Amino acid sequence: MVINAKSKLLAALGSSKGRKKKPAQPSSSTSSGILAGIELAVEQCTALHDDCDIDKYVHELLFLVSNAPLSVTFLSRRIANRLATTRDPAVALRTLVLVHRLLRGGDRRFEEDMGELWYSSSGEFEVDLAWCSSADMGFDHSFLISYSAFLQERMGWIINHAGMLEPIEPLPESKQGEGSESILHRLSRCQMFLDRTMECLPHEDSSSSCSSQVIMQSALCIILRESFRVYDSFCDGVMTILNSFFELKKKSLKDSAIDVLKEACIQTPRLHQFYEDCKRRDLGKMLDYPFVRVITREHVSTVQGYCSPLEISEHEDEIELGIDVEGSDASRTIFSGKLETKISKVWVGFDEEDS
């Protein structure tokens, strides 16, 4: 459970409530102490030792930066420096997990600042793991590289007030405020996110140390939780587009919607298999996996067949896709009955972490 640093600060300052006196500014020694504390916490969290509890350092770091908001930049640079200088894959893995945990820390301002600093910088925070190919082979380097690529995508997302992940990167200004463009843009980003997720399956024969295996599985649990939320958002977006498909005036919007569905033909079977592989290997075994509604080429062809304005006006009330949704998980689809869709929803506790 994430410590609510803001509440603790308010409680600590409660005795001074009502005073008109301006709060004293932190002294330079206090600021130095906070920066030193941040540097020490990053060092201890990513160092090689038996203690795998990264969360306690995350709580400490969130508390420290809540006392000095400007220290967020310092924290980001310390983490970037740690990644740039280490040649130990276990240290790199712990550092990446630290980044991921901090992004989920619950402080919206911190989340946005950290994401902006990492995602929008001109290479200062780019994760370069080229050295992995020549490193000690007693480690699953492919997971490290895939996890790094996943985080590069994850930096472009924030957790909104509803607990859902949403892309930071906005549409071009000329397209903002246009509902269909916004939804299609989000669907495309969801597909990118899910592609990065599916690349993060550790090798079954990994020879990594026990400590690294634990951290690797912990990282995958976070990835899976977030992918459930993004997949849920993807299904919602597809429902909205399908239910308003006949109202799309621009041919470019219809084409974009078809492109999303075509990509889903490739992606949804893979996503189903990815979740099945994770369950088979007891990865994230405490998680409640969603049913993946597989989209097929036949479904796309059915939608494409009603792109003609004449056909739409004649058959809008008669479109049926005739899909059996009672079969195996793999045969289930987001299409059910008519274009009005029904999706099984799975709500995963976003702030519950594995022990």
Side-chain angles (χ1 to χ4, degrees), residues 122-180:
S122 57
E124 182 179 0
F125 299 101
E126 184 177 354
V127 181
D128 182 8
L129 297 175
W131 52 269
C132 282
S133 59
S134 60
D136 178 19
M137 295 308 294
F139 192 90
D140 189 348
H141 296 93
S142 64
F143 177 82
L144 186 62
I145 295 170
S146 298
Y147 189 30
S148 172
F150 169 86
L151 283 179
Q152 292 294 329
E153 173 62 27
R154 175 63 175 82
M155 291 296 173
W157 295 70
I158 60 171
I159 302 173
N160 63 24
H161 294 296
M164 300 294 287
L165 279 167
E166 63 180 25
I168 295 174
E169 188 178 59
L171 278 169
E173 188 173 344
S174 60
K175 294 185 178 181
Q176 290 181 7
E178 300 180 24
S180 298

Side-chain angles (χ1 to χ4, degrees), residues 91-242:
V91 172
L93 175 61
R94 292 177 69 94
T95 306
L96 292 177
V97 173
L98 172 61
V99 171
H100 204 171
R101 296 280 192 180
L102 287 171
L103 289 175
R104 293 168 51 86
D107 186 320
R108 179 66 180 272
R109 183 202 61 226
F110 176 82
E111 182 184 53
E112 291 176 340
D113 288 348
M114 185 77 170
E116 183 178 353
L117 284 169
W118 196 294
Y119 189 72
S120 302
S121 65
S122 57
E124 182 179 0
F125 299 101
E126 184 177 354
V127 181
D128 182 8
L129 297 175
W131 52 269
C132 282
S133 59
S134 60
D136 178 19
M137 295 308 294
F139 192 90
D140 189 348
H141 296 93
S142 64
F143 177 82
L144 186 62
I145 295 170
S146 298
Y147 189 30
S148 172
F150 169 86
L151 283 179
Q152 292 294 329
E153 173 62 27
R154 175 63 175 82
M155 291 296 173
W157 295 70
I158 60 171
I159 302 173
N160 63 24
H161 294 296
M164 300 294 287
L165 279 167
E166 63 180 25
I168 295 174
E169 188 178 59
L171 278 169
E173 188 173 344
S174 60
K175 294 185 178 181
Q176 290 181 7
E178 300 180 24
S180 298
E181 279 94 340
S182 178
I183 294 172
L184 288 168
H185 173 73
R186 179 169 300 189
L187 286 173
S188 178
R189 290 297 303 273
C190 285
Q191 290 179 318
M192 291 173 60
F193 188 102
L194 293 172
D195 277 340
R196 290 290 178 264
T197 295
M198 289 184 285
E199 294 170 358
C200 295
L201 186 65
H203 288 311
E204 290 193 73
D205 58 349
S206 174
S207 58
S208 302
S209 67
C210 180
S211 176
S212 293
Q213 288 278 9
V214 170
I215 297 175
M216 197 180 302
Q217 292 187 23
S218 175
L220 185 60
C221 282
I222 310 174
I223 295 171
L224 287 170
R225 279 195 185 90
E226 295 189 337
S227 76
F228 297 165
R229 287 299 179 89
V230 170
Y231 177 66
D232 192 60
S233 179
F234 174 78
C235 291
D236 285 345
V238 171
M239 276 200 303
T240 302
I241 288 296
L242 288 178

Side-chain angles (χ1 to χ4, degrees), residues 254-296:
K254 290 187 174 68
D255 291 342
S256 295
I258 295 297
D259 288 342
V260 166
L261 294 178
K262 286 180 177 179
E263 176 62 26
C265 288
I266 301 171
Q267 188 180 66
T268 52
R270 290 178 54 231
L271 185 64
H272 167 78
Q273 189 58 54
F274 171 74
Y275 286 155
E276 289 300 306
D277 288 342
C278 289
K279 289 188 283 188
R280 176 180 57 81
R281 293 168 54 181
D282 285 336
L283 300 172
K285 56 185 176 182
M286 300 301 293
L287 302 181
D288 191 4
Y289 285 81
F291 287 119
V292 176
R293 299 336 197 185
V294 175
I295 299 175
T296 68

